[in-house]
């Protein structure tokens, strides 16, 4: 497991001809780190091990799920309109598209592990369990036995080389997560506002610049109605969501080994420095380190 830099190890003191173990210095909580990997045989599912102290995650969302395990300290975050405090030993489940933040909720910061499975993989596992498309009623879960199992799985998957082992381990542990804490989601006919926002999202995922008036005209709302409805439905403004889309696309581009300058220019960031700042705010790691690790 990756550890914070700067922790002093045990030493020997030969003063007076007697050996004495020097007490190990506690790690500096302000020393942050992040390590990202991908599990074999799981469609490139990312895994994160990190410790943060001063970093604050800007409001953002993910296209897939986030399942995080708080190992030390505590994280304070907002999701679904609630402000929550996740202490050590807790599990956080954030569904796709849910806007959330993150910052330290403890003087020592917080250390955690996270899985980032695609929504399609979770839905397929839910179908295998006969539960249909799963929905989680709670964002914050207290389940010590499941926490321990997910933690063991994360440690194994981060360094796994056998796709079959990775697939079996992920299926068993996430199957337990769904069986214990997920329920089938309701099937509802989307209303006009939901359809308009869904179409706006599709447009923002496309290429090329878009104006507010052009998007509003396409979805059948006035610019004012669109701005208000989009923020209510997603928790993000149209520009913030466009930035989220660009950053998600940047992750894919970086995985294909494109240069940082090329990705920044391709996705419409002002320059490489602007791209780096936005990426770090959203994901807690610089794009250069992300590309090198993944």
């Amino acid at each position: 497991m990756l550890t914070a830099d700067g922790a002093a190890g045990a030493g020997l003191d030969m003063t007076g001809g007697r050996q004495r173990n020097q007490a190990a210095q506690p790690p500096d909580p302000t020393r942050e780190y992040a390590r990202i990997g991908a599990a074999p045989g799981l469609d490139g599912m990312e895994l994160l091990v990190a410790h943060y102290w001063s970093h604050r995650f800007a409001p953002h969302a993910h296209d897939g799920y986030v399942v995080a395990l708080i190992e030390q300290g505590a994280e304070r975050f907002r999701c679904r309109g609630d402000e929550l405090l996740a202490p050590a030993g807790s599990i956080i489940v954030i569904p796709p598209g849910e806007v959330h933040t993150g910052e330290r909720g403890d003087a020592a910061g917080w250390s955690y592990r996270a899985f980032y499975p695609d929504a399609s993989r979770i839905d397929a596992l839910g179908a295998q369990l006969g539960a249909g498309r799963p929905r989680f009623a709670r964002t914050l879960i207290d389940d010590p036995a499941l926490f321990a199992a997910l933690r063991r799985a994360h440690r194994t998957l981060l360094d796994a080389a056998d796709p079959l082992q990775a697939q079996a381990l992920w299926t068993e542990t996430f199957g337990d997560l769904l069986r214990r804490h997920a329920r089938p989601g309701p099937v509802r006919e989307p209303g006009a506002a939901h359809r308009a926002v869904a179409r706006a999202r599709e447009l923002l995922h496309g290429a090329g610049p878009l104006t507010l008036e052009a998007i509003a005209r396409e979805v059948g709302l006035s610019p004012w109605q669109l701005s208000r409805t989009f923020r209510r439905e997603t928790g993000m403004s149209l520009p913030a969501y466009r930035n989220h889309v660009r950053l998600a696309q940047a992750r894919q581009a970086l995985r294909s080994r494109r240069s940082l300058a090329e990705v920044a220019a391709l996705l419409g960031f002002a320059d490489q420095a602007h791209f780096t700042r936005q990426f770090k705010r959203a994901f807690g790691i610089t794009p250069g380190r992300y590309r090198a690790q993944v």
Side-chain angles (χ1 to χ4, degrees), residues 8-14 19-25:
L12 295 176
D13 182 2
M14 302 298 292
Q19 289 187 348
R20 293 185 299 176
N21 287 330
Q22 295 178 341
Q25 297 297 316

PDB file of all heavy atoms in Angstrom, residues 8-14 19-25:
ATOM      1  N   ALA A   8       9.299   8.643   9.209  1.00  0.00           N
ATOM      2  CA  ALA A   8      10.600   8.161   9.640  1.00  0.00           C
ATOM      3  C   ALA A   8      10.491   6.742  10.138  1.00  0.00           C
ATOM      4  O   ALA A   8       9.566   6.386  10.851  1.00  0.00           O
ATOM      5  CB  ALA A   8      11.148   9.067  10.741  1.00  0.00           C
ATOM      6  N   GLY A   9      11.457   5.891   9.778  1.00  0.00           N
ATOM      7  CA  GLY A   9      11.428   4.511  10.228  1.00  0.00           C
ATOM      8  C   GLY A   9      12.143   4.350  11.549  1.00  0.00           C
ATOM      9  O   GLY A   9      12.707   5.291  12.110  1.00  0.00           O
ATOM     10  N   ALA A  10      12.125   3.126  12.093  1.00  0.00           N
ATOM     11  CA  ALA A  10      12.795   2.862  13.351  1.00  0.00           C
ATOM     12  C   ALA A  10      14.295   2.880  13.134  1.00  0.00           C
ATOM     13  O   ALA A  10      14.809   2.441  12.124  1.00  0.00           O
ATOM     14  CB  ALA A  10      12.366   1.502  13.886  1.00  0.00           C
ATOM     15  N   GLY A  11      15.029   3.393  14.118  1.00  0.00           N
ATOM     16  CA  GLY A  11      16.476   3.470  14.008  1.00  0.00           C
ATOM     17  C   GLY A  11      17.124   2.840  15.226  1.00  0.00           C
ATOM     18  O   GLY A  11      16.451   2.366  16.136  1.00  0.00           O
ATOM     19  N   LEU A  12      18.470   2.852  15.269  1.00  0.00           N
ATOM     20  CA  LEU A  12      19.216   2.272  16.382  1.00  0.00           C
ATOM     21  C   LEU A  12      20.086   3.339  17.017  1.00  0.00           C
ATOM     22  O   LEU A  12      20.727   4.130  16.327  1.00  0.00           O
ATOM     23  CB  LEU A  12      20.087   1.103  15.891  1.00  0.00           C
ATOM     24  CG  LEU A  12      19.359  -0.118  15.348  1.00  0.00           C
ATOM     25  CD1 LEU A  12      20.363  -1.134  14.827  1.00  0.00           C
ATOM     26  CD2 LEU A  12      18.491  -0.743  16.428  1.00  0.00           C
ATOM     27  N   ASP A  13      20.145   3.355  18.356  1.00  0.00           N
ATOM     28  CA  ASP A  13      20.983   4.273  19.099  1.00  0.00           C
ATOM     29  C   ASP A  13      21.987   3.443  19.882  1.00  0.00           C
ATOM     30  O   ASP A  13      21.614   2.671  20.765  1.00  0.00           O
ATOM     31  CB  ASP A  13      20.102   5.112  20.045  1.00  0.00           C
ATOM     32  CG  ASP A  13      20.917   6.132  20.818  1.00  0.00           C
ATOM     33  OD1 ASP A  13      22.141   6.201  20.596  1.00  0.00           O
ATOM     34  OD2 ASP A  13      20.311   6.841  21.638  1.00  0.00           O
ATOM     35  N   MET A  14      23.267   3.598  19.556  1.00  0.00           N
ATOM     36  CA  MET A  14      24.306   2.804  20.191  1.00  0.00           C
ATOM     37  C   MET A  14      24.928   3.519  21.381  1.00  0.00           C
ATOM     38  O   MET A  14      25.928   3.086  21.931  1.00  0.00           O
ATOM     39  CB  MET A  14      25.415   2.494  19.162  1.00  0.00           C
ATOM     40  CG  MET A  14      24.913   1.753  17.924  1.00  0.00           C
ATOM     41  SD  MET A  14      24.215   0.143  18.299  1.00  0.00           S
ATOM     42  CE  MET A  14      25.691  -0.711  18.827  1.00  0.00           C
ATOM     43  N   GLN A  19      21.578  -0.688  22.724  1.00  0.00           N
ATOM     44  CA  GLN A  19      20.689  -0.416  21.607  1.00  0.00           C
ATOM     45  C   GLN A  19      19.339   0.040  22.144  1.00  0.00           C
ATOM     46  O   GLN A  19      18.792  -0.546  23.060  1.00  0.00           O
ATOM     47  CB  GLN A  19      20.469  -1.676  20.751  1.00  0.00           C
ATOM     48  CG  GLN A  19      21.689  -2.089  19.952  1.00  0.00           C
ATOM     49  CD  GLN A  19      21.341  -3.227  19.024  1.00  0.00           C
ATOM     50  OE1 GLN A  19      20.279  -3.822  19.147  1.00  0.00           O
ATOM     51  NE2 GLN A  19      22.230  -3.513  18.096  1.00  0.00           N
ATOM     52  N   ARG A  20      18.828   1.103  21.532  1.00  0.00           N
ATOM     53  CA  ARG A  20      17.492   1.569  21.881  1.00  0.00           C
ATOM     54  C   ARG A  20      16.744   1.918  20.604  1.00  0.00           C
ATOM     55  O   ARG A  20      17.270   2.627  19.752  1.00  0.00           O
ATOM     56  CB  ARG A  20      17.571   2.810  22.783  1.00  0.00           C
ATOM     57  CG  ARG A  20      18.152   2.530  24.159  1.00  0.00           C
ATOM     58  CD  ARG A  20      18.100   3.749  25.032  1.00  0.00           C
ATOM     59  NE  ARG A  20      18.876   4.841  24.444  1.00  0.00           N
ATOM     60  CZ  ARG A  20      18.925   6.062  24.974  1.00  0.00           C
ATOM     61  NH1 ARG A  20      18.227   6.357  26.052  1.00  0.00           N
ATOM     62  NH2 ARG A  20      19.653   7.000  24.403  1.00  0.00           N
ATOM     63  N   ASN A  21      15.551   1.398  20.492  1.00  0.00           N
ATOM     64  CA  ASN A  21      14.733   1.718  19.326  1.00  0.00           C
ATOM     65  C   ASN A  21      14.224   3.139  19.438  1.00  0.00           C
ATOM     66  O   ASN A  21      13.656   3.526  20.461  1.00  0.00           O
ATOM     67  CB  ASN A  21      13.526   0.774  19.217  1.00  0.00           C
ATOM     68  CG  ASN A  21      13.939  -0.607  18.774  1.00  0.00           C
ATOM     69  OD1 ASN A  21      14.911  -0.760  18.051  1.00  0.00           O
ATOM     70  ND2 ASN A  21      13.224  -1.620  19.224  1.00  0.00           N
ATOM     71  N   GLN A  22      14.471   3.917  18.405  1.00  0.00           N
ATOM     72  CA  GLN A  22      13.903   5.253  18.359  1.00  0.00           C
ATOM     73  C   GLN A  22      12.441   5.152  17.930  1.00  0.00           C
ATOM     74  O   GLN A  22      12.098   4.392  17.046  1.00  0.00           O
ATOM     75  CB  GLN A  22      14.680   6.117  17.358  1.00  0.00           C
ATOM     76  CG  GLN A  22      16.128   6.356  17.779  1.00  0.00           C
ATOM     77  CD  GLN A  22      16.861   7.175  16.731  1.00  0.00           C
ATOM     78  OE1 GLN A  22      16.418   7.246  15.593  1.00  0.00           O
ATOM     79  NE2 GLN A  22      17.960   7.777  17.127  1.00  0.00           N
ATOM     80  N   ALA A  23      11.630   5.943  18.578  1.00  0.00           N
ATOM     81  CA  ALA A  23      10.209   5.916  18.244  1.00  0.00           C
ATOM     82  C   ALA A  23      10.012   6.421  16.817  1.00  0.00           C
ATOM     83  O   ALA A  23      10.608   7.416  16.410  1.00  0.00           O
ATOM     84  CB  ALA A  23       9.421   6.788  19.220  1.00  0.00           C
ATOM     85  N   ALA A  24       9.198   5.704  16.065  1.00  0.00           N
ATOM     86  CA  ALA A  24       8.894   6.128  14.700  1.00  0.00           C
ATOM     87  C   ALA A  24       8.101   7.421  14.724  1.00  0.00           C
ATOM     88  O   ALA A  24       7.163   7.581  15.511  1.00  0.00           O
ATOM     89  CB  ALA A  24       8.097   5.039  13.978  1.00  0.00           C
ATOM     90  N   GLN A  25       8.489   8.347  13.877  1.00  0.00           N
ATOM     91  CA  GLN A  25       7.767   9.614  13.806  1.00  0.00           C
ATOM     92  C   GLN A  25       6.447   9.412  13.062  1.00  0.00           C
ATOM     93  O   GLN A  25       6.408   8.721  12.040  1.00  0.00           O
ATOM     94  CB  GLN A  25       8.619  10.656  13.073  1.00  0.00           C
ATOM     95  CG  GLN A  25       9.911  10.999  13.786  1.00  0.00           C
ATOM     96  CD  GLN A  25       9.663  11.628  15.141  1.00  0.00           C
ATOM     97  OE1 GLN A  25       8.807  12.500  15.269  1.00  0.00           O
ATOM     98  NE2 GLN A  25      10.377  11.168  16.154  1.00  0.00           N
TER      99      GLN A  25
END
